[in-house]
Short mmCIF file of all heavy atoms in Angstrom, two decimals:
data_model
loop_
_atom_site.label_atom_id
_atom_site.label_comp_id
_atom_site.label_asym_id
_atom_site.label_seq_id
_atom_site.Cartn_x
_atom_site.Cartn_y
_atom_site.Cartn_z
N THR R 1 100.51 76.82 91.80
CA THR R 1 100.75 77.57 90.53
C THR R 1 100.96 79.07 90.76
O THR R 1 100.23 79.72 91.47
CB THR R 1 99.51 77.38 89.62
OG1 THR R 1 99.30 75.95 89.34
CG2 THR R 1 99.76 78.07 88.23
N VAL R 2 102.04 79.54 90.17
CA VAL R 2 102.31 80.95 90.12
C VAL R 2 102.66 81.34 88.66
O VAL R 2 102.88 80.40 87.83
CB VAL R 2 103.53 81.30 91.05
CG1 VAL R 2 103.25 80.96 92.56
CG2 VAL R 2 104.78 80.66 90.60
N LEU R 3 102.79 82.57 88.37
CA LEU R 3 103.20 83.01 87.03
C LEU R 3 104.61 83.38 87.03
O LEU R 3 105.07 84.18 87.93
CB LEU R 3 102.32 84.19 86.55
CG LEU R 3 100.86 83.92 86.44
CD1 LEU R 3 100.14 85.21 85.89
CD2 LEU R 3 100.54 82.71 85.61
N LEU R 4 105.43 82.83 86.13
CA LEU R 4 106.85 83.13 85.95
C LEU R 4 106.95 83.77 84.61
O LEU R 4 106.67 83.09 83.55
CB LEU R 4 107.73 81.95 86.13
CG LEU R 4 109.20 82.13 85.88
CD1 LEU R 4 109.78 83.20 86.80
CD2 LEU R 4 109.97 80.86 86.00
N ASP R 5 107.36 85.00 84.50
CA ASP R 5 107.43 85.67 83.18
C ASP R 5 106.11 85.51 82.46
O ASP R 5 106.11 85.31 81.23
CB ASP R 5 108.61 85.18 82.40
CG ASP R 5 109.97 85.53 83.09
OD1 ASP R 5 110.01 86.60 83.79
OD2 ASP R 5 110.91 84.77 82.94
N GLY R 6 104.99 85.62 83.20
CA GLY R 6 103.66 85.61 82.60
C GLY R 6 103.08 84.21 82.35
O GLY R 6 101.95 84.14 81.91
N ARG R 7 103.83 83.20 82.53
CA ARG R 7 103.37 81.87 82.24
C ARG R 7 103.21 81.04 83.54
O ARG R 7 104.03 81.08 84.41
CB ARG R 7 104.31 81.13 81.30
CG ARG R 7 104.51 81.98 80.02
CD ARG R 7 105.30 81.26 79.01
NE ARG R 7 104.64 80.00 78.58
CZ ARG R 7 103.71 79.93 77.58
NH1 ARG R 7 103.37 80.98 76.94
NH2 ARG R 7 103.23 78.79 77.24
N PRO R 8 102.11 80.31 83.63
CA PRO R 8 101.86 79.42 84.79
C PRO R 8 102.99 78.35 84.97
O PRO R 8 103.33 77.70 83.98
CB PRO R 8 100.53 78.77 84.59
CG PRO R 8 99.87 79.59 83.49
CD PRO R 8 101.00 80.16 82.67
N VAL R 9 103.42 78.20 86.20
CA VAL R 9 104.35 77.16 86.56
C VAL R 9 103.97 76.54 87.87
O VAL R 9 103.39 77.17 88.68
CB VAL R 9 105.87 77.58 86.59
CG1 VAL R 9 106.36 78.16 85.27
CG2 VAL R 9 106.05 78.62 87.65
N ARG R 10 104.33 75.27 88.00
CA ARG R 10 104.15 74.57 89.27
C ARG R 10 105.35 74.84 90.15
O ARG R 10 106.42 74.37 89.96
CB ARG R 10 104.01 73.05 89.08
CG ARG R 10 102.95 72.70 88.13
CD ARG R 10 101.55 72.77 88.78
NE ARG R 10 100.65 71.82 88.14
CZ ARG R 10 99.45 72.15 87.75
NH1 ARG R 10 98.97 73.35 87.95
NH2 ARG R 10 98.65 71.23 87.16
N SER R 11 105.17 75.72 91.16
CA SER R 11 106.31 76.16 91.94
C SER R 11 106.85 75.08 92.86
O SER R 11 107.94 75.19 93.36
CB SER R 11 105.95 77.40 92.75
OG SER R 11 104.96 77.16 93.69
N CYS R 12 106.08 74.00 93.08
CA CYS R 12 106.62 72.87 93.86
C CYS R 12 107.57 72.04 93.08
O CYS R 12 108.38 71.29 93.70
CB CYS R 12 105.49 72.01 94.40
SG CYS R 12 104.65 70.92 93.17
N LEU R 13 107.57 72.09 91.81
CA LEU R 13 108.43 71.33 90.99
C LEU R 13 109.64 72.09 90.47
O LEU R 13 110.55 71.54 89.83
CB LEU R 13 107.70 70.77 89.70
CG LEU R 13 106.57 69.84 89.95
CD1 LEU R 13 105.92 69.45 88.59
CD2 LEU R 13 107.04 68.59 90.72
N MET R 14 109.67 73.37 90.71
CA MET R 14 110.75 74.25 90.22
C MET R 14 111.65 74.65 91.39
O MET R 14 111.13 74.99 92.46
CB MET R 14 110.11 75.46 89.58
CG MET R 14 111.08 76.40 89.02
SD MET R 14 110.10 77.69 88.19
CE MET R 14 111.31 78.14 87.01
N LEU R 15 112.95 74.62 91.15
CA LEU R 15 113.84 75.06 92.20
C LEU R 15 113.90 76.65 92.12
O LEU R 15 113.78 77.25 91.09
CB LEU R 15 115.22 74.53 91.97
CG LEU R 15 115.37 73.00 92.01
CD1 LEU R 15 116.81 72.56 91.61
CD2 LEU R 15 115.04 72.48 93.41
N ALA R 16 114.07 77.21 93.28
CA ALA R 16 114.08 78.70 93.38
C ALA R 16 115.25 79.23 92.48
O ALA R 16 115.02 80.25 91.82
CB ALA R 16 114.30 79.15 94.82
N VAL R 17 116.30 78.54 92.41
CA VAL R 17 117.42 79.02 91.60
C VAL R 17 117.09 79.07 90.11
O VAL R 17 117.64 79.81 89.36
CB VAL R 17 118.76 78.23 91.85
CG1 VAL R 17 119.30 78.42 93.23
CG2 VAL R 17 118.54 76.78 91.51
N GLN R 18 116.11 78.24 89.73
CA GLN R 18 115.71 78.24 88.29
C GLN R 18 114.93 79.54 87.94
O GLN R 18 114.79 79.80 86.78
CB GLN R 18 114.89 77.02 88.03
CG GLN R 18 115.63 75.74 88.01
CD GLN R 18 114.69 74.55 87.82
OE1 GLN R 18 113.87 74.23 88.70
NE2 GLN R 18 114.83 73.93 86.63
N ALA R 19 114.39 80.18 88.96
CA ALA R 19 113.60 81.38 88.69
C ALA R 19 114.44 82.64 88.80
O ALA R 19 113.98 83.78 88.62
CB ALA R 19 112.46 81.51 89.69
N GLU R 20 115.79 82.44 88.98
CA GLU R 20 116.68 83.58 89.08
C GLU R 20 116.51 84.55 87.93
O GLU R 20 116.45 84.20 86.72
CB GLU R 20 118.17 83.02 88.94
CG GLU R 20 119.22 84.06 88.76
CD GLU R 20 119.67 84.77 89.96
OE1 GLU R 20 119.28 84.42 91.09
OE2 GLU R 20 120.32 85.80 89.86
N GLY R 21 116.30 85.81 88.29
CA GLY R 21 116.13 86.90 87.31
C GLY R 21 114.72 86.92 86.69
O GLY R 21 114.45 87.81 85.87
N GLY R 22 113.83 86.00 87.03
CA GLY R 22 112.52 86.00 86.49
C GLY R 22 111.55 86.92 87.25
O GLY R 22 111.83 87.38 88.29
N ARG R 23 110.43 87.21 86.59
CA ARG R 23 109.44 88.06 87.16
C ARG R 23 108.28 87.14 87.60
O ARG R 23 107.63 86.49 86.73
CB ARG R 23 108.93 89.11 86.25
CG ARG R 23 110.00 90.12 85.81
CD ARG R 23 109.55 91.25 85.00
NE ARG R 23 108.60 92.09 85.74
CZ ARG R 23 108.96 92.95 86.65
NH1 ARG R 23 110.19 93.09 87.02
NH2 ARG R 23 108.04 93.77 87.23
N LEU R 24 108.02 87.04 88.87
CA LEU R 24 107.03 86.17 89.47
C LEU R 24 105.79 86.98 89.80
O LEU R 24 105.84 88.14 90.23
CB LEU R 24 107.52 85.53 90.74
CG LEU R 24 108.63 84.52 90.49
CD1 LEU R 24 109.42 84.25 91.75
CD2 LEU R 24 108.06 83.21 89.97
N GLU R 25 104.63 86.29 89.66
CA GLU R 25 103.40 86.94 90.18
C GLU R 25 102.72 85.83 91.00
O GLU R 25 102.51 84.73 90.48
CB GLU R 25 102.51 87.42 89.12
CG GLU R 25 101.25 88.12 89.61
CD GLU R 25 100.45 88.73 88.50
OE1 GLU R 25 100.81 88.71 87.36
OE2 GLU R 25 99.35 89.26 88.86
N THR R 26 102.35 86.16 92.26
CA THR R 26 101.60 85.26 93.09
C THR R 26 100.25 85.79 93.27
O THR R 26 99.98 86.91 92.89
CB THR R 26 102.34 85.05 94.45
OG1 THR R 26 102.25 86.32 95.19
CG2 THR R 26 103.83 84.64 94.30
N VAL R 27 99.39 85.04 93.96
CA VAL R 27 98.00 85.51 94.17
C VAL R 27 98.01 86.84 94.94
O VAL R 27 97.10 87.63 94.72
CB VAL R 27 97.21 84.37 94.91
CG1 VAL R 27 97.66 84.17 96.36
CG2 VAL R 27 95.74 84.65 94.76
N GLU R 28 98.99 87.07 95.80
CA GLU R 28 99.02 88.32 96.49
C GLU R 28 99.18 89.55 95.52
O GLU R 28 98.88 90.65 95.89
CB GLU R 28 100.24 88.39 97.48
CG GLU R 28 100.07 87.46 98.65
CD GLU R 28 100.67 86.07 98.41
OE1 GLU R 28 100.94 85.72 97.27
OE2 GLU R 28 100.89 85.35 99.41
N GLY R 29 99.70 89.30 94.38
CA GLY R 29 99.90 90.39 93.33
C GLY R 29 98.77 90.60 92.42
O GLY R 29 98.80 91.56 91.63
N LEU R 30 97.68 89.83 92.53
CA LEU R 30 96.55 90.09 91.68
C LEU R 30 95.80 91.35 91.98
O LEU R 30 95.41 92.12 91.14
CB LEU R 30 95.56 88.89 91.67
CG LEU R 30 95.87 87.60 90.87
CD1 LEU R 30 94.83 86.60 91.00
CD2 LEU R 30 96.13 88.01 89.41
N ALA R 31 95.48 91.54 93.25
CA ALA R 31 94.75 92.75 93.69
C ALA R 31 95.62 93.95 93.47
O ALA R 31 96.84 93.96 93.70
CB ALA R 31 94.30 92.63 95.13
N ALA R 32 95.06 95.03 93.00
CA ALA R 32 95.77 96.29 92.79
C ALA R 32 95.11 97.49 93.43
O ALA R 32 93.88 97.63 93.26
CB ALA R 32 95.99 96.55 91.24
N GLY R 33 95.88 98.28 94.15
CA GLY R 33 95.30 99.49 94.69
C GLY R 33 94.13 99.23 95.70
O GLY R 33 93.26 100.03 95.74
N GLY R 34 94.25 98.08 96.38
CA GLY R 34 93.20 97.77 97.34
C GLY R 34 91.91 97.23 96.73
O GLY R 34 90.98 96.89 97.42
N GLU R 35 91.87 96.98 95.39
CA GLU R 35 90.75 96.50 94.74
C GLU R 35 91.03 95.04 94.22
O GLU R 35 92.06 94.81 93.61
CB GLU R 35 90.28 97.36 93.56
CG GLU R 35 89.00 96.90 92.88
CD GLU R 35 88.53 97.86 91.84
OE1 GLU R 35 88.85 99.02 91.85
OE2 GLU R 35 87.89 97.28 90.86
N LEU R 36 90.13 94.18 94.50
CA LEU R 36 90.31 92.77 94.01
C LEU R 36 90.35 92.74 92.50
O LEU R 36 89.67 93.53 91.83
CB LEU R 36 89.17 91.89 94.55
CG LEU R 36 89.14 91.66 96.04
CD1 LEU R 36 87.91 90.75 96.37
CD2 LEU R 36 90.39 91.04 96.56
N HIS R 37 91.08 91.80 92.01
CA HIS R 37 91.14 91.54 90.53
C HIS R 37 89.77 90.93 90.14
O HIS R 37 89.00 90.34 90.93
CB HIS R 37 92.24 90.53 90.25
CG HIS R 37 92.49 90.27 88.85
ND1 HIS R 37 91.76 89.37 88.07
CD2 HIS R 37 93.39 90.78 87.99
CE1 HIS R 37 92.21 89.28 86.86
NE2 HIS R 37 93.21 90.17 86.76
N ALA R 38 89.36 91.08 88.86
CA ALA R 38 88.11 90.56 88.32
C ALA R 38 87.99 89.09 88.69
O ALA R 38 86.85 88.62 88.97
CB ALA R 38 88.05 90.81 86.81
N LEU R 39 89.05 88.32 88.56
CA LEU R 39 88.94 86.92 88.90
C LEU R 39 88.59 86.69 90.35
O LEU R 39 87.83 85.82 90.69
CB LEU R 39 90.26 86.20 88.55
CG LEU R 39 90.49 85.88 87.07
CD1 LEU R 39 91.93 85.55 86.80
CD2 LEU R 39 89.59 84.68 86.68
N GLN R 40 89.25 87.38 91.27
CA GLN R 40 89.01 87.30 92.66
C GLN R 40 87.50 87.63 92.99
O GLN R 40 86.85 86.85 93.74
CB GLN R 40 89.94 88.17 93.50
CG GLN R 40 91.36 87.68 93.39
CD GLN R 40 92.34 88.69 93.98
OE1 GLN R 40 92.30 89.91 93.60
NE2 GLN R 40 93.23 88.23 94.84
N ARG R 41 87.01 88.68 92.37
CA ARG R 41 85.59 89.06 92.61
C ARG R 41 84.70 87.95 92.11
O ARG R 41 83.69 87.57 92.75
CB ARG R 41 85.28 90.36 91.94
CG ARG R 41 85.87 91.61 92.63
CD ARG R 41 85.29 92.89 92.06
NE ARG R 41 85.56 93.05 90.67
CZ ARG R 41 86.69 93.61 90.21
NH1 ARG R 41 87.63 94.02 91.01
NH2 ARG R 41 86.83 93.73 88.84
N ALA R 42 84.99 87.46 90.90
CA ALA R 42 84.15 86.42 90.31
C ALA R 42 84.16 85.16 91.08
O ALA R 42 83.16 84.47 91.22
CB ALA R 42 84.57 86.18 88.89
N PHE R 43 85.34 84.75 91.61
CA PHE R 43 85.36 83.56 92.42
C PHE R 43 84.43 83.72 93.65
O PHE R 43 83.75 82.77 94.00
CB PHE R 43 86.81 83.28 92.88
CG PHE R 43 87.51 82.27 91.95
CD1 PHE R 43 87.71 82.61 90.64
CD2 PHE R 43 88.02 81.10 92.43
CE1 PHE R 43 88.42 81.74 89.73
CE2 PHE R 43 88.70 80.20 91.59
CZ PHE R 43 88.88 80.54 90.25
N HIS R 44 84.47 84.87 94.25
CA HIS R 44 83.66 85.15 95.39
C HIS R 44 82.13 85.16 94.95
O HIS R 44 81.34 84.51 95.65
CB HIS R 44 83.96 86.51 96.04
CG HIS R 44 83.10 86.91 97.17
ND1 HIS R 44 81.97 87.68 96.97
CD2 HIS R 44 83.12 86.62 98.47
CE1 HIS R 44 81.37 87.80 98.12
NE2 HIS R 44 82.06 87.21 99.06
N ASP R 45 81.82 85.84 93.90
CA ASP R 45 80.46 86.00 93.50
C ASP R 45 79.83 84.70 93.03
O ASP R 45 78.60 84.51 93.16
CB ASP R 45 80.31 87.02 92.39
CG ASP R 45 80.65 88.45 92.86
OD1 ASP R 45 80.68 88.66 94.08
OD2 ASP R 45 80.90 89.29 91.96
#
């Protein structure tokens, strides 16, 4: 699961060409400025 234009999608079912021009967010994009996202901290805690 990744976010495409803010909505969760199953990236294994979607062709890369279908995401053309879209804004994707992956887990690597959750942390900002070296600080974990609230969800990442909570999963750890």
Side-chain angles (χ1 to χ4, degrees):
T1 302
V2 298
L3 300 181
L4 175 61
D5 296 328
R7 304 189 60 87
V9 297
R10 304 284 206 225
S11 64
C12 75
L13 295 179
M14 183 173 205
L15 297 174
V17 295
Q18 291 176 290
E20 166 80 12
R23 296 188 65 76
L24 291 160
E25 187 175 354
T26 68
V27 70
E28 292 92 345
L30 279 181
E35 185 176 332
L36 294 178
H37 186 277
L39 281 163
Q40 293 168 310
R41 286 191 301 274
F43 267 60
H44 177 267
D45 294 345

